[in-house]
Amino acid sequence: MLGETLRRLRGIYGYSAKEMSERLGISGSYLSEIEKGRKPPTLDLLNRYSKILGIRTSSLMRFSEEFDCAEKHGAGQDFITGLMSRLIDTFAAEE
C-alpha cells in the first residue's frame, strides 16, 4: 500500500510522474513499479520523497498506514479528502 500512498501524495502535491521521477533521480519505469507496489522503495528513496514533499519520513510512513486502514474500511477517498482539507487550512494559516 505504500506505493499507492506515494502515488496519491504525488498527485495531491501536483507532481506528474515524470516530474517526480526526475526530482527523485530515478527512471519513470522504476517510479511506476514502486507506485504499483511491484517494487518497494528503499529508505534512501523514502527520505528523498520526504524532502520533496516537505514532510518527515516518519509522517510519510504513518500516513501510509492510516490510508491503508481507511482503504480497508472503504473510506480511502474520505481520508484523502480530509488530508487535503487539512493541507489547505495549514497553507491558509501560513499566509
Side-chain angles (χ1 to χ4, degrees), residues 1-2 4-5 61-76 79-80:
M1 194 45 101
L2 182 56
E4 175 67 14
T5 300
M61 299 303 292
R62 180 174 170 224
F63 173 78
S64 179
E65 289 174 11
E66 289 177 4
F67 175 66
D68 186 37
C69 183
E71 278 283 282
K72 287 179 182 174
H73 292 94
F79 179 79
I80 295 295

Side-chain angles (χ1 to χ4, degrees), residues 18-80:
K18 183 177 190 244
E19 290 171 319
M20 184 59 83
S21 65
E22 288 172 355
R23 294 194 78 169
L24 290 168
I26 61 175
S27 70
S29 60
Y30 183 49
L31 177 65
S32 178
E33 294 290 310
I34 289 169
E35 290 184 351
K36 290 178 181 176
R38 294 182 184 145
K39 293 191 178 181
T42 63
L43 182 56
D44 177 58
L45 192 57
L46 288 174
N47 286 331
R48 285 186 266 164
Y49 264 104
S50 295
K51 286 181 184 176
I52 291 166
L53 301 176
I55 58 176
R56 289 179 279 178
T57 304
S58 60
S59 296
L60 183 65
M61 299 303 292
R62 180 174 170 224
F63 173 78
S64 179
E65 289 174 11
E66 289 177 4
F67 175 66
D68 186 37
C69 183
E71 278 283 282
K72 287 179 182 174
H73 292 94
Q77 189 59 44
D78 291 339
F79 179 79
I80 295 295

